[in-house]
């Protein structure tokens, strides 16, 4: 999958297909280096509120973010993909971001405070 701004739009999907992707807002409660990952990454623990709870994610976001700067920050993630085993780490959600000019990840997040667990619509 191409992640650059010159990639063509993907084929159309139905609104029902969009609704099947559960994107929620969460608050990072811990972040730590993930030196065992093949590509530089951080291990995140994210609070999605009382219904979804705490979930973990491996995120390749080391170019712009330090673990200390992420704690307390709101992020968006897909919470209904199957977990992925990355080495000894089980990534339960897909943290979302956009590529910058060099292709490094810039996190996708609300620009105002919102309750954790809220679903994107």
């Amino acid at each position: 999958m191409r992640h650059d701004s010159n990639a063509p739009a993907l084929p159309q999907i139905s609104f029902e297909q969009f609704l099947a992707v559960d994107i929620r807002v969460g608050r990072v409660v811990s972040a730590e280096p993930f030196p065992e990952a093949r590509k530089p990454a951080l291990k995140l623990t994210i609070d999605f509120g009382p219904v979804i709870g705490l979930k973990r994610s491996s995120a390749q976001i080391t170019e712009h973010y330090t673990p200390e700067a992420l704690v307390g920050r709101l992020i968006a993630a897909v919470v209904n993909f199957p977990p992925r085993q990355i080495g000894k780490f089980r990534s339960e959600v897909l943290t979302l971001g956009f590529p910058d000019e060099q292709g490094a990840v810039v996190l996708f997040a609300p620009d105002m405070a919102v309750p954790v667990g809220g679903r994107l619509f």
Side-chain angles (χ1 to χ4, degrees):
M1 176 189 290
R2 290 180 61 186
H3 296 289
D4 63 52
S5 60
N6 296 318
L10 295 174
Q12 286 187 350
I13 62 170
S14 70
F15 189 66
E16 289 74 25
Q17 288 171 305
F18 168 73
L19 290 177
V21 180
D22 194 353
I23 299 172
R24 305 279 181 129
V25 65
R27 186 174 308 280
V28 177
V29 295
S30 72
E32 59 187 80
F34 189 6
E36 305 87 9
R38 272 186 260 134
K39 294 182 179 179
L42 298 175
K43 296 178 191 176
L44 307 178
T45 302
I46 306 160
D47 179 9
F48 290 98
V51 175
I52 306 290
L54 292 176
K55 298 290 180 181
R56 300 180 78 197
S57 180
S58 170
Q60 295 174 2
I61 56 174
T62 58
E63 192 72 29
H64 295 300
Y65 305 97
T66 63
E68 302 78 29
L70 289 166
V71 174
R73 182 185 177 110
L74 291 175
I75 58 91
V78 176
V79 299
N80 67 330
F81 283 157
R84 290 184 58 208
Q85 196 70 35
I86 303 171
K88 294 180 180 180
F89 185 77
R90 185 173 171 94
S91 189
E92 301 170 302
V93 299
L94 176 65
T95 302
L96 299 176
F98 293 101
D100 67 9
E101 298 263 338
Q102 288 73 44
V105 178
V106 175
L107 289 170
F108 176 59
D111 63 357
M112 295 182 165
V114 297
V116 296
R119 186 165 183 208
L120 180 75
F121 58 83

